[in-house]
Amino acid sequence: MEVAVGAARWVVGRALGPVADGLLEAWAASKELGPNIDALKMELLYVQGMLNNTRGRDIDNPALNVLLQKLRDLAYNAEDVLDELDYFRIQDQLEGTYEAADEHAKGCMCNLYLNAHHTARAAGKLLCFCQCSRASSRAHPSEPIEEDDTRQQVLCCAWPCAKRRSARGNISSAPHNHQANEEVSGCMRKLASVACNSIRHVGKLLHCSSLPTHDDVSSVMPTICGACKHKVSQKKHVKETPKLEFDRVDLSRRMRLIVEQLQPVCAKVATILNLELLGSSHTAPSIANIPRTTTSDIIEPTLYGREPAKKRIIDSITHDKYSGKDLTILPIVGPGGIGKTTLVQHIYHSHEVQKHFQVKVWICVSQNFIVSKLTEEIEKALPSIEDEKKGRAEELIEQRLKSKRFLFILDDIWKCESEDWKRLLVPLRKGQTKGNVILVTTRFPAIAEIVKTTNSSIILEGLEHKEFRNFFRACIFGDEKSQNDHDGLLKIGDKIAEKLKGSPLAAKTVGRLLRNHLDAHHWTRVLESREWEMQTGERDIMPALKLSYDYLPFHLQQCFSCCALFPEDYKFDSEELIHFWIGLDILHPAGGSKTVEDVGLESLSDLVNNGFFKKDETDGHPYYIIHDLLHDLALKVASQESLTLHHSNVRSVEIRPSIRHLSIMIDDPDDSNGITGENFKSELKKLKTKLKVENLQTLFIFGGGDQSFVNILGDLFMEANALRVLCLPTLSCPLESMLHNFSSLLHLRYLKLGTSMRRMPLPTTLSRFYHLKILDLRKWDGSFLLPRDMSNLAKLCHFLARHNELHSGIYNVGKLKLLQELKAFAVNKEIQGFELNQLEHLIELRKLGIYNLENVYTKEEAIEAKLVQKDHLHKLALHWDSERPNTEPGVEVVVLESLQPHRNLQELSITGHRGPSCPTWLGDKLVVEALQSLYLSSVSWDIFPSFGKMVNLRELGLSNISTIKEFGPEESFCKLVKKITLAGLENFEKWVPQPTHFFPHLQVLIIVDCPKLSELPFSSHIVYPLKQDWNIDWFPKLQELWIEHCPEVLLLPPIPWTHSLCSVEISNVGSKLLDKLVYSKSSSEVALTIIGKVGLHNLDQLLLFSKLTELQALMIQKCPPLELKYFLMLTSLKKLWASSSNLGVVPSGGQSGVEWQHPVDEINICFSDSSGRELTQFLSHLPKLSKLEVSSCKNITQLVVGVDLQQPTVPIVSSSTSLDVITMDDTQVKDEQQEIAEVEEEANTMDDDGLLLLRAHLSNSLQALHIRTGGGVVVHSLEALQALTRLQLEYCSFRHPFPSSLLQLKLSSVKGVLTLSNLTSLTRLEIYGCGEDFRCEGLLPLLTRGQLSDLDVQKSPNFFGRWEWDPSAPISRSSKLQMLNTDDIHGFLGAPALCSLLSSSLTDLSFMGDHETARFINEQEEAFQCLTSLQRLEFWFCYKLEHLPAALNKLTNLKRLVIFGCLAVRSLPKDGLPSSLRELVAQGVNEELREHCKRLIGTIPKIII
């Protein structure tokens, strides 16, 4: 063989030698691909060994760091090369080629041919440069290609040129003329002919191997070179995605070059590391290894923002819930610098604690949790006692604490094992007194879980904004007087404070930076540069936080630091986060049965336990968040390789040459440091010269952008070929227009795409990413059409999609052998590629849904799915079409029987099966014993499984099953089940209770649409009487109860019969007591709504008031009054609404004449028959009432406020009073007081049931008042309501001045209003239907001297009619009005002086319901152009409007334009829209306008039509 190979090499070398210099080297490079791979691997192993040795060592050697960075860069390059080779190896397997193989499968002749082919290709690159250079030098991939170019391309691609990947550098050449091109093409054909003929000639002499067949030859024929592939892809007849070209020679050379570069660097690094090792004994310990010490001495004399927590802790340990226990251990948890130690110091020295505890000990634990050492420290801290016996430290502690109540502070615990903790507590538990307490402070929630004896820990987070601002200023200025001397700096300081997230240590760090330079320039520089993040002192914030980071193992550091790419306060889904880590390849199972997902979950749990993530939930869905300054820490520790760009940092952030991970946040308006959208674009353009885009491995783009953004990003990322992770969740244009090289991203592992544009196509090149592991399309609402060859993605593990159509569209899905979720597989969707046997080899599936099972007809076909062999499958859905016209029960029985899953299955759903019984593997011969959830829908079974045999079953759902008449599950099922759903059971009549079936663990019970059900397993008191003399609670842990559309159900349980209930909804049942009841309990509020029926005489027929002490909001409709004894039980009630009910309290037996009060805060009465006297009496018992709404109460005719006659009042304004100055003489004051006194006296003496009197005690508590009635209530003066900030009057008469304290005022169909000019604190004003006589007199002071920011004027046609403003008047020439909504286009724009006044403040303008205006006249156009600050402009239901303002394009700040229900508008303005526009909404409009807007797609980031 060696002779044959040598002879062949000689012959081919001879044949190729005359062509060009360098051919022998090219041949050798091609032949030596395998050895170069081995050499590179060996060198990388050596590098890895060295780099592993640097972990955990604090090497302070800048030169070594530079060399190590060089090593990392070379390692990345090596990874790219090997990964690229692996990509083409996979492509070889898919295409049946040998482009990336060391040897051809058919022997040495084919090897010769293969090497000759690659050698000739390399030679071609030396000669065939002209056309490819010209192709690759086009300014943009979308440039038109002339026909001549296409013809030349055919010649070029006969021997493909190398469009080198950007990491290898660009190749340039002078343009060749047409004659040269023809010579080159001829040369290439000749070269190919000579090479092939030489090989075949040698093959005739040597019979050791066969030559390539015709297929073999075609298999190694070239495809399309990178520089030219774009041209070919545009040809209509090309349907398949072009393959990427494999450059064997270049790849081999690159590997050899990397090895050559690695060797000298490795040698230098090894030498330095050896020297470092020799001198390691002399290096100083790192900060992480220096024990931090604390004492009980108070350093901060004032405790800012922690007084409530301090009081709560002191109360609990001295005389509340913990004072009666033997030993209480209360952990205080929070990140470094949050103030844990300071809080405990103040607790330790408080008067209550000093008095309560006889012994107090402070121990700083830090990182040295050694039981023997801590025990000795405690013994030394305890004072000796008389007659003390000598002994071990534990014995001395026991003697000294024997009859004394003690408080121990164990500060700053970093590590603690459960067994060690128990050992430490042994001598402390032997005391003979109660009320002993240990306060533990720690950064780590996991430690808190180990040590605590309470239900929860004290979690410290950042200080509240106001308290933090005060503390921050104290850190800078000291006393308040110094603050007042520097008013100009306080605004800058407040902006800095917002970035510090309430961290006290951050306040101290920045306070030191600002204290000695009290000038605006320095403070602004600190704000923009975030200089505090660069401070390295032991008591600075970042080193303090980094201590926790350094304490993490390396893999957790990686997991945490990479999260810096996400926006601040981002809510991570656990699945999303783990998949991201998989994409970065930072999760590595250590062996055994753990999957990479298992490792991810463990890592996330560890980060939560170490305090880097906080777990929370919204609507029952858990999420994880990095809080406060820990996100800034992530940015800092990741800054060597990761970069996050947004408006506020784009000019200041350092861009290192080592950056490999990038995220860009386009929509970032809240904190932009004055950077406009155009400035941001300009800065992004500059990135091309600062950032090594070719090195990027991760790219996130958050937010949408217009076409200019797309163009900028497309130009910036033209050479980003090394991407492994790509996240684009808000696409507004086709992906290829943003990433022109998208099809070349052969390293891609993680791809997340999202769009709201329905017609957006998926990239056709999806199927070419052979390394792809994660494809996340959960936010994809575009086209669901997948590439036909999606099954090429052999490494795909997770295909995440919200829509089943995406899963059901995968052709030949059986090739995706690593796939873990297939939510919808449609059997025989097409003739080929959707057979059930496609599932046979998908053994990694965790979730599977099989649809259209009516298309399966034989047992053999069903068995081919091999479900029984899928031991990882946890969730399975089997679905027959319930609407199918024809059924074959016998066939369906066999099919379902043959679809037996593995015994490990946990969740099963069966829908539409028309067989007579359940399968045996679910019934008599139960196989799926691990089943936890079972849902059966639309089945025709007469025989159901024995749920009691399923010992792990926790959820059961039965829906749309007509054969079920009774439900009487076994006792074993009842004892374990947590959720039961019974829905659409049309013949279900009775839930058969058993005396011993108590459902002790049931949490969710849903019964819906069961028209015949009459009996539930509880009586009216939710207990079942047994023969013994006691009752047993049926559902003691029930959290959710839903009973709906069950008209025969008569008896209902009293709510809430158990404290565990969190959600109850009962409606449309047969009970004569109620129509609807909704009860909800969450962390934010406990609320109850009842709509009664005529049979309801007392609310205790429905409610268990003794268990409603936490109720905060109660709404009753068509209900009787509350009995006083029950009302007083609602001690937490804050809101009470009564509709169509007599609101009041009926005295209970023996309670008549009893004085009482209730702390309810808000009362809403509507459609009530209660009299004014009854409501007056009720309200008199509510001293804390802050909000009152009285609506449509026909028996209320007057409203009066009772006042103390000694209280001064504000003057009455007559119709002749000046708008700007209001005065009142003593006579008027006395008359006003006398009028109010007389009204109150009349209310107390006369039998006037129509008078509602608000007693004097409400004058300081009532903050919001809403009066609405159709009867024209007369409202008397409200001036006495000094705390009133919100007032709403509808259909009333009112002729008095409004309280000057008002912030919000709404007037609807109100008569007699005189003026508004005294309401200078008003921020929102609504005027509706106040007639033609209601004008804007008095509005000028609100606009020029007041705080008015929001104005809404509807159906008051002359409101703007008399607007007059003298610009020379001595008042402010600007306004604070930001939002204006009106139905009077003509009136508003007909007041040019008003528009001029609002020019710099008005940002939101909405014209809603103007049915008169058709066009804008010149005066209105000119007035409109004054509104230069507009950002949002909306036209709603302006039916006659034909044209929009002509000069819209001059509104350079406009971001959002809405046209809704304006059918007469046919087009947009001729001069176009402003370039600043970010969103255009055109709905319910003329078709011509719709088409006009469609043509703008791509030029505006968001268009909704």
Side-chain angles (χ1 to χ4, degrees), residues 480-511:
E480 190 170 343
K481 181 179 180 301
S482 299
Q483 298 180 27
N484 298 333
D485 296 337
H486 298 90
D487 282 344
L489 296 176
L490 295 182
K491 288 186 178 179
I492 303 174
D494 289 347
K495 290 183 179 179
I496 296 174
E498 290 175 5
K499 297 178 181 294
L500 302 182
K501 320 295 171 56
S503 168
L505 183 55
K508 294 179 184 179
T509 298
V510 183

Side-chain angles (χ1 to χ4, degrees), residues 38 52 111 196 247 431 439 481 587 625 676 727 872 876 1016 1057 1079 1086 1205 1347 1409 1449 1464 1505:
D38 292 337
N52 284 339
N111 289 335
C196 293
D247 191 335
L439 295 181
K481 181 179 180 301
L587 300 177
I625 191 169
T676 65
C727 178
H872 297 298
L876 173 64
L1016 292 172
W1057 70 88
Y1079 172 79
V1086 181
L1205 289 181
Q1347 303 296 317
N1449 65 320
I1505 303 175

